Amino acid sequence: DAFLKRHAATVRALATYTAWGADAKLMDALPKLGLISHFGVGYDSIDVAAAKQRNAMVTNTPDVLNDCVADTAMSLVLNVMRQFPRSENWLRAGKWHAVIGYPLTVSLGGKTLGILGLGRIGEVIAKRAQAFGMKIAYHNRNQKDVPYAYYADAVALAKNCTVLLIATPGGAETMNLVNAKVLDALGPRGFVVNIARGSVIDEPVLIKYLRENRIAGAGLDVFVKEPQVPPEFFALENAVIYPHVGSGTVETRTAMGDLQLENLRLYFAGKPVKTRVV
């Protein structure tokens, strides 16, 4: 508050990221705010409607992270279906004997990957999954001109895939989109993978379904209240969990930072920004 009172009259732009966005209250405290330059493709931590009302532009950092997030998505698919982390722990615990091997797992080839949210990242994931021999299906608000099976809602998609991969934006519109009905449709042989936002899944329901083996497993890079992860996940052997590392490489984070800064430079130079959201 003291900082805002001292500098409010001169602040023209904000640099934000996933954990620290901007709400209407902060924008009201900065009357000369003209740009919110966000680090990340998802910008649900920013009140975009409030920014628009106050004539403040919002930019994000799309495309430069597509490949790394898609790699993370496929690693989660592999690790939850083939149980590589679990099998490594089994080996490290000294359980591999001459006549006892690790239990058989599930192959990717021939299975259907259902992508919930076939945007830029979803399309890159689809290409990688096809290289593993997977079939592709998807659900979007609007059908796209792509050679993949389209389903009109999340329940129908879950019913017709082995892996439900969530790649939708976060925010109020997708809150708990993957709920009990969707997980029931996925069934005890189905897997769910989330590289979008934790809010898209009803987290307590997911924990219950994993505990009761009502779905086969989950691969998660995101959680509702990051970095606080429900401790119940730690005891679940059918859950593979990452600490939100989807875009976490030196190359990608550098490219994201460069794009965030470039939008700021352009704005202060009076030129059009590169990746405007509103």
Side-chain angles (χ1 to χ4, degrees):
D1 289 341
F3 178 89
L4 291 174
K5 287 176 182 178
R6 189 178 306 118
H7 298 285
T10 57
V11 173
R12 294 174 52 203
L14 285 175
T16 60
Y17 76 111
T18 301
W20 295 97
D23 58 14
K25 182 181 178 182
L26 178 58
M27 295 178 206
D28 285 339
L30 301 170
K32 294 188 178 181
L33 183 66
L35 172 68
I36 301 171
S37 182
H38 189 66
F39 182 94
V41 65
Y43 46 87
D44 45 295
S45 60
I46 298 171
D47 189 334
V48 174
K52 193 172 182 180
Q53 290 172 357
R54 291 157 180 77
N55 296 316
M57 292 184 291
V58 177
T59 59
N60 65 342
T61 59
D63 296 325
V64 294
L65 48 66
N66 292 357
D67 285 328
C68 271
V69 175
D71 291 345
T72 302
M74 288 310 301
S75 78
L76 283 168
V77 173
L78 277 165
N79 283 331
V80 73
M81 294 181 72
R82 295 294 310 279
Q83 300 181 16
F84 292 135
R86 189 173 169 183
S87 66
E88 181 183 1
N89 290 336
W90 182 86
L91 170 60
R92 288 178 182 274
K95 295 181 179 179
W96 192 11
H97 306 292
V99 294
I100 302 175
Y102 188 78
L104 301 181
T105 59
V106 181
S107 64
L108 280 68
K111 306 300 190 299
T112 297
L113 179 72
I115 302 177
L116 188 57
L118 192 71
R120 293 183 178 100
I121 294 173
E123 289 189 356
V124 178
I125 293 169
K127 291 178 181 178
R128 280 163 168 71
Q130 286 179 302
F132 281 91
M134 301 189 82
K135 302 171 186 176
I136 307 298
Y138 76 101
H139 166 69
N140 267 4
R141 283 178 295 183
N142 300 302
Q143 190 169 355
K144 302 181 74 170
D145 184 19
V146 291
Y148 309 137
Y150 174 76
Y151 292 94
D153 56 61
V155 172
L157 178 65
K159 191 177 293 185
N160 288 280
C161 69
T162 301
V163 182
L164 180 66
L165 192 145
I166 304 167
T168 64
E173 291 186 8
T174 58
M175 178 76 70
N176 291 340
L177 177 61
V178 177
N179 51 27
K181 288 184 179 180
V182 175
L183 296 179
D184 282 336
L186 190 61
R189 294 187 178 181
F191 303 85
V192 63
V193 170
N194 190 6
I195 50 87
R197 288 288 185 264
S199 60
V200 183
I201 297 183
D202 188 330
E203 207 166 63
V205 169
L206 175 61
I207 291 170
K208 175 180 171 63
Y209 274 56
L210 288 169
R211 275 179 171 167
E212 298 175 359
N213 294 311
R214 294 171 71 174
I215 62 171
L220 309 170
D221 186 42
V222 288
F223 301 88
V224 174
K225 294 182 179 179
E226 299 175 8
Q228 299 169 359
V229 177
E232 293 91 339
F233 280 118
F234 303 149
L236 292 169
E237 291 189 329
N238 54 354
V240 176
I241 53 177
Y242 295 171
H244 203 152
V245 294
S247 63
T249 66
V250 172
E251 296 86 351
T252 294
R253 292 287 173 86
T254 299
M256 291 167 66
D258 288 344
L259 181 51
Q260 180 185 37
L261 290 170
E262 182 64 12
N263 281 322
L264 287 163
R265 291 189 189 102
L266 290 169
Y267 171 72
F268 282 114
K271 298 177 181 179
V273 295
K274 275 192 171 182
T275 52
R276 184 172 178 174
V277 176
V278 295

